[in-house]
Amino acid sequence: MQNVVIGAHGATAEDVLAVAREGAPVVLASEALAGIAASREVIEALAAKPEPVYGVSTGFGALAVRHISPELRAQLQRSLVRSHAAGMGPGVEREVVRGLMFLRLKTLASGRTGVRPVVAETMAAVLNAGITPVVHEYGSLGCSGDLAPLAHCALVLMGEGEAEGPDGVVRPVAELLAEAGIAPVELREKEGLALINGTDGMLGMLLMAIADLQRLFTAADITAALSLEALLGSAKVLAPELQAIRPHPGQAASAENMRRVLEGSGLTGHHQDDAPRVQDAYSVRCAPQVAGAGRDTLAHARLVADRELASAVDNPVVLPDGRVESNGNFHGAPVAYVLDFLAIAAADLGSIAERRTDRLLDRSRSHGLPAFLADDPGVDSGLMIAQYTQAALVSENKRLAVPASVDSIPSSAMQEDHVSMGWSAARKLRTAVDNLARIIAVELVAATRAVEIRTQGSEVLEAAPATRAVVKAVRAAGVLGVGPDRFLAPDLAAAYEFVRAGGLAGAAESVTGPLA
C-alpha cells in the first residue's frame, strides 16, 4: 500500500481515509521534521525563562494561574494526559481512532505545536504498527477540542493504558509497544497539551461521513429513479431546462443522475394510462430538489472540512515569527455545525425515500401494483414489515437530526464556559448515515421488485437498461425477487451491504457511465 507522506502544510481528505480505513502507512516528510525541531527550540527557550508561559510552565484550564518549576514539568505533562484520559462507555470504532491520531499527527507536523520530533515519530510508529488506542464513546465536549479521546491516544505514546493490537485484541499498551519495538516517550514541556488540544476526532468523523454520504446520495438518486419508473411516473420533470431556471448545483446533479438511469425506459410516461395523473406525488416529482439540497449541504461541509484540514489547531501555538500565543482555534463550532447540518440532510433524504416505498406498497396509490408487492396478497404479506423497519429508521434519524451544537455546558470551573458538543454531533451523524444506507436499501428492495412485477409477461413495458442492470446485480448479491413470503431479514441485510459497498452505483454506472 502506498505511503501517506505528512508534510508541514496540512493533509487531504483522501489521506485521512487511506490511513483511517485502509491502514495506509504514514511517513513524516523531512521538511516537517525540520519545522517541528525549529518550533521546539522556541519552546525550550521559553521554558528556560522565569516568566510563566501557558502550557509550558503553568497548569491548565482553571489551574493556569500556577507557575510550575522545571523539576515538576515532566510530571505536569504526565498528570495532564493521565487525568484527561477519563472517557467512559464503549470503545469507538478503529477507523475513528486512526483518523483522530493521523489528524493530530498532521498538526504536530505543522511545526506550530512545539513538540520534539520524537513525539511525532512515535505517533507515526504506533499508527504503522497497527496499534489502536481504546477511545471511549463519552468524554469530549468539543472544546478545547476532543480532549478525552486525544488523551487516551497520548497515554499510549507514554506506554500506558490499553489498546488494540493488529489482531484486534485489547492488551496492555506496554506489551504492544515492546512487541513493535517502539520506546515510550517521556513528555516534556508543552507536549502533553499539544497531543490533546484539537478537533481531530470530530473532523475525522466528518470526513468519513462526507465520503459515505457522497455514495449514498448517488444511491438515493438511483432508487428514486427506479421508484419513479415502477410507479409509471413522468420523467419530464427531470429535464435540464427545468433545473436551469432554479440553478442549485445539487438539484441539477441529482436530476441528471435520475435522467440517465431512466434513459430508454418503457415504463415512464404511462401515468395517463389507467387513472390519469397530471402530476406525480411530491416524493417522486421533487426527488431532485430534496436530494439536491442535501448535495449542496454536503458541498458546504466539504468546504469546512478542507479549511480544517489546512489548519494547525492547538493552544498555545508557535507562530512563524517565533511568538508563542494563546488562542481559541480549538473550539469545535465550525465542524460541529456542519456535522449537525449533515444529520438534517440525511434525515430528510431518508424520509422522502420512505414515502416512495410506502407508495409502491399501497395498492390505492401504486397504479396497479399488488398490495405490499406480495405474491398472493392476504396469504402473503410481501414487504409490509420491511416498510415498518424503514419507517423506524426514518423516525430514529429524525431524532438524531436534533442538533448537538446548540447545546453547551460549562466546564473547568467556568474557564471553558462555552463548548461545541462537536464530538456528540459526529457520533450521532455516524449512526444517521448508517441508518440512511438501510433506508435506501429497503427502497431498493421494493423498487426492484415493483419493476419486475410491472414488466413480467409484458411485451410493451420494459425497464430502462440501467434499471435492468441494477435488478440483475442486486439479485446476484443475494436479494431475491418476486415470490412467496420468505425469511426477509437476510434479503434486507444483503441489500444494505450492496448499497453501502457501492454495488448499487456500480451496477447503474455499468450502463450510464459515472454518475455524480
Side-chain angles (χ1 to χ4, degrees), residues 80-89 136 138-140 147-149 151-152 155:
L80 173 71
V81 172
R82 288 170 176 168
S83 66
H84 283 53
M88 294 182 74
H136 299 277
Y138 304 108
S140 175
L147 288 173
H152 281 276
L155 199 66

Side-chain angles (χ1 to χ4, degrees), residues 3 61 73 148 150 210 229 283 305 338 364 374 461 463 485:
N3 292 340
R73 289 176 188 170
L150 283 164
I210 288 171
E229 195 173 16
S283 61
V338 291
S364 66
L461 299 178
D485 282 354

Side-chain angles (χ1 to χ4, degrees), residues 19 46 50 61 92 126 153 186 205 234 239 260 262-263 266 280 327 332 392 394 397 405 430 434 439 472 483 501:
V19 174
L46 286 173
V92 302
V126 169
C153 295
E186 182 176 7
M205 286 186 276
S234 173
R260 290 170 63 190
L262 291 170
E263 191 169 350
D280 290 312
N327 66 91
V394 167
N397 272 7
S405 58
R430 283 179 68 81
D434 197 49
I439 292 164
K472 181 179 179 181

Side-chain angles (χ1 to χ4, degrees), residues 378-464:
V379 175
D380 295 315
S381 295
L383 299 180
M384 178 191 294
I385 307 304
Q387 185 267 332
Y388 282 34
T389 300
Q390 188 187 41
L393 291 163
V394 167
S395 288
E396 174 70 9
N397 272 7
K398 290 175 183 177
R399 291 188 289 272
L400 293 170
V402 175
S405 58
V406 297
D407 189 23
S408 178
I409 189 165
S411 56
S412 191
M414 294 299 288
Q415 177 71 6
E416 298 168 10
D417 58 352
H418 185 275
V419 297
S420 77
M421 303 307 295
W423 175 273
S424 298
R427 296 305 297 164
K428 69 184 182 66
L429 176 59
R430 283 179 68 81
T431 302
V433 170
D434 197 49
N435 288 349
L436 176 60
R438 298 178 194 278
I439 292 164
I440 292 170
V442 175
E443 184 181 15
L444 174 65
V445 171
T448 53
R449 184 183 288 199
V451 166
E452 285 184 316
I453 292 171
R454 192 74 81 179
T455 57
Q456 277 179 344
S458 174
E459 297 179 359
V460 177
L461 299 178
E462 185 176 54

Side-chain angles (χ1 to χ4, degrees), residues 5-12 15-16 28 32 36 99-113 120 123 127 199-200 203 207 305-313:
V5 179
I6 306 175
H9 303 290
T12 67
D15 291 338
V16 178
L28 286 159
I36 293 170
L100 177 150
M101 291 180 69
F102 175 78
L103 287 165
R104 184 66 339 211
L105 181 57
K106 179 269 298 181
T107 288
L108 298 183
S110 71
R112 297 286 167 259
T113 68
M123 183 171 279
L127 275 168
T199 58
D200 309 290
L203 175 58
L207 291 166
D306 286 345
R307 289 170 177 165
E308 199 75 2
L309 281 168
S311 303
V313 178

Side-chain angles (χ1 to χ4, degrees), residues 175-206:
E175 293 179 12
L176 292 168
L177 293 186
E179 289 178 8
I182 300 171
V185 177
E186 182 176 7
L187 301 178
R188 297 182 185 171
E189 293 94 342
K190 177 66 171 64
E191 290 178 338
L193 192 60
L195 287 170
I196 67 173
N197 210 339
T199 58
D200 309 290
M202 63 185 91
L203 175 58
M205 286 186 276
L206 172 62

Side-chain angles (χ1 to χ4, degrees), residues 117-164:
V118 67
V119 176
E121 291 168 332
T122 303
M123 183 171 279
V126 169
L127 275 168
N128 290 341
I131 297 170
T132 307
V134 174
V135 172
H136 299 277
E137 181 78 23
Y138 304 108
S140 175
L141 299 177
C143 188
S144 303
D146 294 315
L147 288 173
L150 283 164
H152 281 276
C153 295
L155 199 66
V156 170
L157 302 189
M158 294 165 49
E160 301 180 16
E162 290 186 325
E164 282 187 11

